[in-house]
C-alpha cells in the first residue's frame, strides 16, 4: 500500500513486514509496521488530530447549549462541552480499536446545526425529542451498513467522483481553516454588495490572531517542505507559543468581546486551574418516540430522512478522502474491512444522540493527523483518550487557539489536491460533475451537498453523453434521493 502523504512529504512503501515474533502485540494488533508506521508516529499523530478537532468541544456548546426548546429547557454550555468530549472520546477509541483506521469521530458540524435550528428551533421539538430522532437516524445507518447497502453504494461511485470528493473535501477543510482564522471573512449584509466574502478585515490582515495564522501557515509549510518528521505537530506547538506571546503583548482578547480583531474561540493563555469533575447530567436525556407524537409520523419521518442522507454521505465522502490520503485504499479505491468501519461509524449517531451531543461522525480534520503520519487505529485511540481527558482538563486544550491549528488544515487541503490528477478532464460529462463536486463543498459548507450536486450532474450528463448504461443503478437511486433531499423545504411545507 502506498503512503502518498507521510509526515515528511515523501513517498514511501513498507517493503517488508517484521515477522510476528519480532513485533510487539500492539504492533500486530494494529498492523503498525505493516502500514509503514511506528508506535511513536501514531501517538504523535493522534495528538495532532486531537488539537485539529478540539475546537468542537468549544463550538458544539455554543450551537446546542444556549437555546431554549419548546419546554423551556436549555442544555447548558458546560453540560454540552462535557457530553461532546465524552462522545468523541468513546467513538474515537471504538473506531480505532474495531475499524483500525486513524479517522477521528466527534459531533458533526452541520448536523448539530440541523438539530438546533431545524428540529428544535423550527419544528418545536424538545431537546430530548430531537436527540431521539438522531438516535433513530443512527439505528437506520447501522442497519444499512450491516446489510451491506452502504458498502454497495461506496463501490458504485465511479473513480472520478471518488477523486473529486477527496479534492472537494481538501478545499472544504482549507476554507474552514481560512474562515476560522479570520483570513477569509463574511462581508456584512449592510455593505449591500454582491461579494459575500473578503480577505481579512476590509481586505487587510488587520488582527493579531489572523497574523498568527499567516505566520503559522509559513511555519507548517516549511516543516512539510523540509520533510521534517512530525512537522505539523511541531508547527502547532510553535504556533501556540507564538499565540501565547502575542496575546500577552497585545491583549487581543476574545472576538465575542472585541469583535473581529479578537481570537475566534479560545483565547491563548496559561490556565489558572486544571479543570474539575465534568457535568454529564444531559447524557441519556433522550425521547425516542416523542417527536413522532409531537409533530406527526410523516413530518418526523421526513426529518429522519434528512438526517440519514446528510449523515450517510458526509461520513462516506470523508472516509473516502481520508483513506486515499493515507494510502490505505486498494486499486479500486476501497478500504479493507470497509463494511466493519461503516458499521462502527454508524454507531456515532446513536452514541451522539444518546449523549445529547448530536450525531457523531468522521471528521475531515483527521487529515491533519494523517498528514503527520497516522496510519492505524492506535492514533485514534490516542485522540480518544485526549478527548476523555478534556472533560476534566478543559483549560489545557483551550491554550491552543483555532488560529494556531488552522494552518494545518490549509496545508492538508493542499496535499489532498493531488488527487485532482486522477480525474479525466478531457471528458466533459466527467469533468463537470467533478468540478461541481469540488467547488460546491466549500461554497455550500457541506460535504453532503457537494456529493449530491455531483451525483445528480454525473447521472444527467452521462445520459447527455450517451453513456447512461455506464451509470450504476445505485447512482440513479442516490441521485433521486438527493433530488428529494434538496427539495425538502417545499415538501415539508406541503405536508405540514
Amino acid at each position: 500500500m502506498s503512503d502518498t502523504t507521510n509526515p515528511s512529504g515523501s513517498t514511501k512503501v513498507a517493503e517488508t513486514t517484521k515477522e510476528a515474533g519480532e513485533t510487539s502485540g500492539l504492533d500486530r494488533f494494529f498492523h503498525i509496521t505493516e502500514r509503514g508506521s511506528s508506535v511513536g508516529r501514531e501517538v504523535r499523530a493522534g495528538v495532532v488530530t486531537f488539537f485539529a478537532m478540539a475546537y468542537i468541544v468549544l463550538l458544539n456548546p455554543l450551537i446546542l447549549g444556549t437555546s431554549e426548546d419548546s419546554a423551556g429547557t436549555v442544555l447548558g454550555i458546560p453540560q454540552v462541552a462535557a457530553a461532546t468530549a465524552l462522545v468523541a472520546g468513546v467513538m474515537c477509541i471504538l473506531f480505532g480499536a474495531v475499524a483500525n483506521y486513524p479517522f477521528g469521530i466527534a459531533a458533526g458540524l452541520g448536523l448539530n446545526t440541523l438539530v438546533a435550528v431545524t428540529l428544535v428551533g423550527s419544528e418545536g421539538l424538545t431537546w430530548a425529542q430531537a436527540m431521539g430522532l438522531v438516535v433513530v437516524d443512527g439505528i437506520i445507518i447501522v442497519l444499512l451498513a450491516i446489510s451491506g447497502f452502504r458498502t454497495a453504494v461506496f463501490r458504485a461511485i465511479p473513480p472520478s467522483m471518488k477523486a473529486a470528493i477527496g479534492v472537494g473535501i481538501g478545499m472544504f477543510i482549507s476554507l474552514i481553516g481560512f474562515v476560522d482564522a479570520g483570513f477569509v471573512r463574511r462581508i456584512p449584509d449592510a455593505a449591500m454588495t454582491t461579494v459575500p466574502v473578503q480577505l481579512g478585515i476590509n481586505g487587510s490582515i488587520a488582527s493579531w490572531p489572523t497574523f498568527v495564522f499567516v505566520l503559522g501557515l509559513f511555519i507548517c509549510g516549511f516543516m512539510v517542505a523540509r520533510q521534517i518528521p512530525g512537522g505539523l505537530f511541531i508547527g502547532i506547538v510553535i504556533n501556540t507559543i507564538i499565540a501565547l506571546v502575542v496575546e500577552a503583548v497585545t491583549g487581543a482578547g476574545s472576538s465575542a468581546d472585541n469583535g473581529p480583531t479578537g481570537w475566534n474561540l479560545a483565547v491563548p493563555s496559561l490556565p489558572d486551574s486544571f479543570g474539575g469533575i465534568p457535568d454529564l447530567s444531559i447524557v441519556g436525556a433522550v425521547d425516542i418516540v416523542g417527536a413522532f407524537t409531537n409533530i406527526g409520523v410523516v413530518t418526523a419521518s421526513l426529518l429522519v430522512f434528512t438526517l440519514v442522507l446528510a449523515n450517510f454521505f458526509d461520513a462516506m465522502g470523508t472516509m473516502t478522502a481520508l483513506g486515499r490520503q493515507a494510502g490505505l485504499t486498494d486499486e479500486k479505491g476501497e478500504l479493507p474491512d470497509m463494511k466493519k468501519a461503516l458499521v462502527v461509524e454508524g454507531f456515532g449517531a446513536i452514541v451522539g444522540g444518546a449523549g445529547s451531543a448530536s450525531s457523531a461522525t468522521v471528521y475531515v480534520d483527521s487529515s491533519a493527523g494523517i498528514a503527520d503520519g497516522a496510519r492505524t487505529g492506535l492514533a485514534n485511540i490516542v485522540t480518544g483518550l485526549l478527548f476523555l481527558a478534556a472533560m476534566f482538563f478543559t483549560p489545557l486544550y483551550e491554550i491552543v487557539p483555532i488560529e494556531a491549528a488552522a494552518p494545518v488544515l490549509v496545508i492538508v487541503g493542499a496535499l489532498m489536491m493531488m488527487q485532482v490528477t486522477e480525474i479525466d478532464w478531457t471528458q466533459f460529462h466527467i469533468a463537470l460533475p467533478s468540478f461541481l463536486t469540488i467547488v460546491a463543498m466549500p461554497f455550500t459548507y457541506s460535504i453532503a451537498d457537494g456529493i449530491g450536486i455531483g451525483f445528480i450532474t454525473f447521472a444527467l450528463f452521462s445520459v447527455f453523453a450517451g453513456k447512461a448504461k455506464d451509470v450504476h443503478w445505485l447512482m440513479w437511486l442516490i441521485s433521486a434521493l438527493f433530488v428529494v433531499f434538496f427539495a425538502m423545504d417545499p415538501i415539508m411545507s406541503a405536508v405540514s
Side-chain angles (χ1 to χ4, degrees):
M1 262 179 277
S2 64
D3 178 354
T4 57
T5 54
N6 62 41
S8 64
S10 61
T11 301
K12 296 182 179 179
V13 177
E15 297 178 353
T16 60
T17 303
K18 293 182 180 180
E19 296 297 329
E22 300 177 1
T23 59
S24 67
L26 190 69
D27 192 319
R28 291 193 298 273
F29 182 83
F30 289 106
H31 307 289
I32 297 172
T33 302
E34 180 183 336
R35 295 186 183 179
S37 187
S38 66
V39 172
R41 181 184 294 179
E42 294 297 309
V43 171
R44 183 190 67 221
V47 176
V48 170
T49 296
F50 169 75
F51 281 117
M53 294 175 59
Y55 67 87
I56 191 59
V57 185
L58 302 174
L59 187 57
N60 203 36
L62 298 179
I63 296 173
L64 299 179
T66 58
S67 300
E68 188 176 284
D69 65 14
S70 57
T73 300
V74 177
L75 294 180
I77 289 179
Q79 292 84 355
V80 176
T84 300
L86 174 64
V87 169
V90 169
M91 285 308 305
C92 283
I93 293 172
L94 181 64
F95 193 82
V98 178
N100 195 24
Y101 288 117
F103 305 163
I105 297 181
L109 287 174
L111 293 169
N112 54 6
T113 303
L114 179 63
V115 170
V117 175
T118 302
L119 273 61
V120 175
S122 299
E123 297 300 328
L125 298 179
T126 65
W127 285 111
Q129 291 168 350
M131 295 303 171
L133 289 187
V134 172
V135 172
V136 173
D137 154 49
I139 294 172
I140 294 172
I141 291 288
V142 169
L143 292 176
L144 290 174
I146 292 174
S147 70
F149 181 77
R150 291 188 84 183
T151 304
V153 171
F154 190 98
R155 290 172 176 165
I157 302 173
S160 62
M161 291 302 296
K162 288 180 180 177
I165 289 169
V167 175
I169 289 176
M171 293 187 66
F172 178 44
I173 63 174
S174 294
L175 182 60
I176 291 174
F178 283 136
V179 171
D180 287 349
F183 189 81
V184 172
R185 295 179 186 270
R186 180 186 178 193
I187 297 177
D189 293 337
M192 300 299 290
T193 175
T194 57
V195 180
V197 293
Q198 64 183 355
L199 173 68
I201 301 173
N202 297 322
S204 300
I205 306 302
S207 73
W208 283 109
T210 302
F211 169 76
V212 170
F213 162 77
V214 173
L215 187 58
L217 184 60
F218 288 121
I219 291 171
C220 291
F222 169 81
M223 295 290 176
V224 175
R226 297 295 296 178
Q227 303 181 8
I228 297 174
L232 295 180
F233 174 75
I234 296 171
I236 290 177
V237 173
I238 294 175
N239 297 346
T240 301
I241 294 172
I242 293 173
L244 287 167
V245 173
V246 167
E247 174 59 21
V249 173
T250 67
S254 169
S255 60
D257 299 324
N258 299 331
T261 60
W263 301 91
N264 192 11
L265 289 175
V267 177
S269 60
L270 296 176
D272 296 326
S273 63
F274 294 100
I277 302 300
D279 184 347
L280 298 174
S281 58
I282 64 173
V283 175
V286 180
D287 183 351
I288 300 289
V289 299
F292 294 90
T293 58
N294 185 353
I295 59 177
V297 174
V298 174
T299 301
S301 297
L302 288 173
L303 291 173
V304 170
F305 171 79
T306 302
L307 286 169
V308 168
L309 208 61
N311 222 339
F312 189 106
F313 285 100
D314 257 7
M316 197 170 69
T318 303
M319 288 175 64
T320 299
L322 295 178
R324 291 169 69 90
Q325 181 197 1
L328 298 176
T329 54
D330 58 22
E331 62 279 358
K332 297 180 181 179
E334 298 178 7
L335 288 165
D337 293 326
M338 182 170 55
K339 181 177 179 180
K340 182 193 299 182
L342 291 171
V343 170
V344 177
E345 188 280 332
F347 275 100
I350 299 176
V351 175
S356 297
S358 181
S359 177
T361 187
V362 173
Y363 254 55
V364 294
D365 307 80
S366 307
S367 55
I370 291 173
D372 207 53
R375 294 295 178 270
T376 75
L378 178 59
N380 238 45
I381 289 178
V382 172
T383 301
L385 290 174
L386 289 173
F387 269 116
L388 294 181
M391 292 192 299
F392 301 90
F393 301 105
T394 299
L396 291 181
Y397 67 80
E398 285 184 345
I399 293 174
V400 183
I402 190 64
E403 290 84 354
V408 174
L409 301 182
V410 178
I411 295 295
V412 169
L415 294 173
M416 295 179 73
M417 277 294 296
M418 297 177 185
Q419 301 177 44
V420 77
T421 59
E422 300 177 26
I423 301 170
D424 186 358
W425 296 102
T426 64
Q427 302 293 320
F428 190 71
H429 72 284
I430 293 176
L432 182 62
S434 299
F435 172 76
L436 292 176
T437 300
I438 291 169
V439 299
M441 285 187 191
F443 289 162
T444 63
Y445 238 64
S446 169
I447 294 172
D449 286 352
I451 292 174
I453 291 168
F455 278 21
I456 293 170
T457 309
F458 181 85
L460 287 177
F461 274 79
S462 293
V463 174
F464 298 161
K467 298 181 180 295
K469 65 180 182 300
D470 295 336
V471 181
H472 196 284
W473 70 269
L474 278 173
M475 287 290 289
W476 288 108
L477 173 62
I478 300 303
S479 296
L481 291 175
F482 266 116
V483 170
V484 176
F485 177 73
F486 291 136
M488 187 54 64
D489 277 351
I491 291 175
M492 292 288 291
S493 299
V495 300
S496 61

